[in-house]
Amino acid sequence: MSDRLSTTFAALADPTRRAILARLALGETSVQKLAEPFAISLPAISKHLKVLEHAGLITRGRDAQMRPCKIDAAGFIGVEHWLEEYRKLWGQSMDKLESHLEVMKAQQAVRPAPKKKSRSVKRQGEGNARKD
Amino acid sequence: MSDRLSTTFAALADPTRRAILARLALGETSVQKLAEPFAISLPAISKHLKVLEHAGLITRGRDAQMRPCKIDAAGFIGVEHWLEEYRKLWGQSMDKLESHLEVMKAQQAVRPAPKKKSRSVKRQGEGNARKD
DNA sequence: GATGTATTTAACCCATGAGTTAATTAACCG
DNA sequence: CGGTTAATTAACTCATGGGTTAAATACATC
C-alpha cells in the first residue's frame, strides 16, 4: 500500500480510529484514557494508535510511563490537498449538497431508540463510533 | 465496516481507485477506457468500480453495452464534511502547512524543478498501481 | 532491587480485500 | 440465429488488518 495517501485513507477507514481522532481533537491524552470508551483490548488500541501515527494523523510524546497522543495536522493536510483537486469539479453545487448531507446527519442523529437488541453484543457495535 | 464514511475512506485508500477517480475527473468514460492505463485484469477494474460506486464516489449509466462511469460528488461531500471538524483545529497554520506540503511534493517529484514557483498542481500520475 | 502502572510486542485466529482465470450476461449487428 | 464486444459473476489464492491473550518493556516509587 506503500504511498502516504493510501496509508492515511486506510487509517481513516476505521470508525474506532476516527473516534480516537475525535477524542484527540479535544486535546492530548494518554492511551488509557483513549481506550476507555471502547470495548476492545489495550493492545488493540495500541495498534490503532500505531496506524494513526504512521499515517501522520497523530504524534506521540512521553510523560513518565505514559505516551500522550496528540492530533497532528500533517496527515489531514494530505487529504485536504488531495480533495482540493476535486472540489473545483462541482463548485457551486457543493453548498447545496453539503446542506443535504447536513439534513441526513440530523436524521441519523435523532433516530429513535433501538429496538431490543439482546444477543450478546460484545464487540463494540460498528455503528456506534461517535463523532465521525 | 458498515458505515458510510468508513466505506468511502476505504475506497479511497487504494491508488488504483484514486487514479480511476483522477481519470474520471476529466470526464465520463467506459470501463475499458478506464482499464487501459493499468496492468490488471478487467474483472479487477470492475471490482474497483463497484467499490467506488458503493462508496458514493461514482455513478454508472448505460450506453449500449457500455457502462459509462461518472464521478459523483456525494462521496466526496462526506469526506469534505468530516474534514470540516478538524480544519478549524489549525485554522491559520493550515496555509503554512499546506505550502510546506507543496514543497515536499515538489521534492518527491522527479527533479526538473525550476526555481520559479508554479501555482498549479500538476497531475502527477496518482497510481502506478501494481503490475505483475 | 522489587513492585506497581502504562504501554508495546509476540504469537496467534479469522475475515476481508485485491488479484487471478474461466464462464456468463447483455446488447448490438450481420 | 450466430458472432462480437463490453462488462460482470464465479471460484479460487494469497496477503493483510483487526481482534485476542500472554509476556515483555519502560518508568516511578518504595
Side-chain angles (χ1 to χ4, degrees):
Chain A
M1 195 232 294
S2 50
D3 70 295
R4 191 124 192 92
L5 209 38
S6 295
T7 303
T8 304
F9 278 129
L12 294 175
D14 182 294
T16 301
R17 285 194 289 262
R18 289 199 309 279
I20 289 175
L21 288 176
R23 169 61 190 79
L24 288 177
L26 304 176
E28 196 166 343
T29 194
S30 76
V31 175
Q32 292 246 341
K33 285 283 168 56
L34 279 174
E36 260 167 33
F38 303 103
I40 62 179
S41 69
L42 220 49
I45 297 290
S46 190
K47 281 188 185 180
H48 280 308
L49 293 175
K50 189 186 278 185
V51 171
L52 288 170
E53 183 179 30
H54 192 240
L57 291 161
I58 68 171
T59 57
R60 285 190 278 184
R62 157 82 69 178
D63 173 11
Q65 53 242 255
M66 284 171 290
R67 272 83 158 179
C69 299
K70 191 164 68 167
I71 201 163
D72 183 18
F76 291 82
I77 301 296
V79 175
E80 191 78 51
H81 189 271
W82 178 84
L83 259 184
E84 195 78 24
E85 298 266 327
Y86 297 91
R87 210 171 278 143
K88 53 195 169 212
L89 281 185
W90 29 77
Q92 245 304 350
S93 58
M94 189 67 136
D95 298 333
K96 285 188 278 266
L97 281 159
E98 282 211 337
S99 50
H100 173 55
L101 182 85
E102 207 67 10
V103 170
M104 299 205 306
K105 281 196 67 160
Q107 287 173 347
Q108 208 173 343
V110 297
R111 76 172 167 247
K115 325 195 71 173
K116 64 183 296 191
K117 50 197 325 195
S118 57
R119 283 263 168 264
S120 52
V121 181
K122 234 20 204 290
R123 286 283 186 284
Q124 81 141 66
E126 256 300 356
N128 280 357
R130 268 324 13 152
K131 195 83 187 91
D132 41 9
Chain B
M1 195 236 291
S2 47
D3 69 295
R4 191 126 193 93
L5 248 188
S6 295
T7 303
T8 305
F9 278 130
L12 294 175
D14 182 293
T16 301
R17 285 194 290 263
R18 289 200 309 280
I20 288 175
L21 288 176
R23 169 61 190 79
L24 288 177
L26 305 176
E28 195 167 343
T29 193
S30 76
V31 175
Q32 292 246 340
K33 283 285 168 56
L34 280 174
E36 260 168 30
F38 303 103
I40 61 179
S41 68
L42 218 50
I45 297 289
S46 190
K47 282 189 184 180
H48 280 307
L49 293 175
K50 189 187 277 184
V51 171
L52 288 170
E53 183 179 30
H54 192 239
L57 291 161
I58 68 170
T59 57
R60 285 190 278 185
R62 157 81 72 180
D63 173 11
Q65 54 243 251
M66 283 171 288
R67 274 81 159 179
C69 299
K70 191 163 70 166
I71 201 162
D72 183 18
F76 291 83
I77 301 296
V79 175
E80 191 78 50
H81 190 269
W82 178 84
L83 259 184
E84 195 80 22
E85 299 266 328
Y86 297 90
R87 212 171 277 144
K88 52 194 170 211
L89 281 186
W90 30 77
Q92 247 304 347
S93 59
M94 188 67 136
D95 298 334
K96 286 189 277 269
L97 282 160
E98 282 212 336
S99 50
H100 173 56
L101 180 86
E102 207 69 9
V103 169
M104 299 204 305
K105 283 193 67 160
Q107 286 174 347
Q108 206 172 347
V110 198
R111 203 155 293 265
K115 270 300 151 66
K116 68 152 74 155
K117 68 179 297 193
S118 83
R119 279 253 21 163
S120 65
V121 182
K122 71 173 68 80
R123 167 152 302 307
Q124 53 157 24
E126 240 301 2
N128 309 343
R130 38 211 122 284
K131 48 263 168 177
D132 265 20

